[in-house]
Amino acid sequence: MTEGPVLESATVADVEALLTVAEVAAMLRVSKMTIYRLVHAGDLAAFRVSRSFRIPATAALTLRQSQPGEVRPGVLRVLTGE
């Protein structure tokens, strides 16, 4: 069985740093649907594991620590509901 390029360079630390949609939603204090919207819009890095998404912790933390001026307008609109 041949592993894809992502798995070839992955380490144990990378695998442990993956969060579920529910975990990211709780961390950002938004709904799971908001996280799905960000993922589908390409504003939050994620990949599929079977039928669910896994989000790198670094991507979630980057979004969490972003200042409003640093976040793309579409992302801000999704996060604030405006």
Side-chain angles (χ1 to χ4, degrees), residues 15-26:
V15 174
E16 291 175 1
L18 299 177
L19 303 172
T20 65
V21 169
E23 291 169 333
V24 175

Side-chain angles (χ1 to χ4, degrees), residues 27-59:
M27 180 175 69
L28 297 176
R29 296 182 182 168
V30 296
S31 70
K32 291 191 297 185
M33 183 53 69
T34 298
I35 301 304
Y36 284 118
R37 286 185 190 118
L38 291 170
V39 168
H40 287 291
D43 294 320
L44 182 60
F47 60 93
R48 284 198 174 269
V49 175
S50 186
R51 293 180 58 193
S52 61
F53 285 104
R54 292 295 182 266
I55 301 163
T58 54

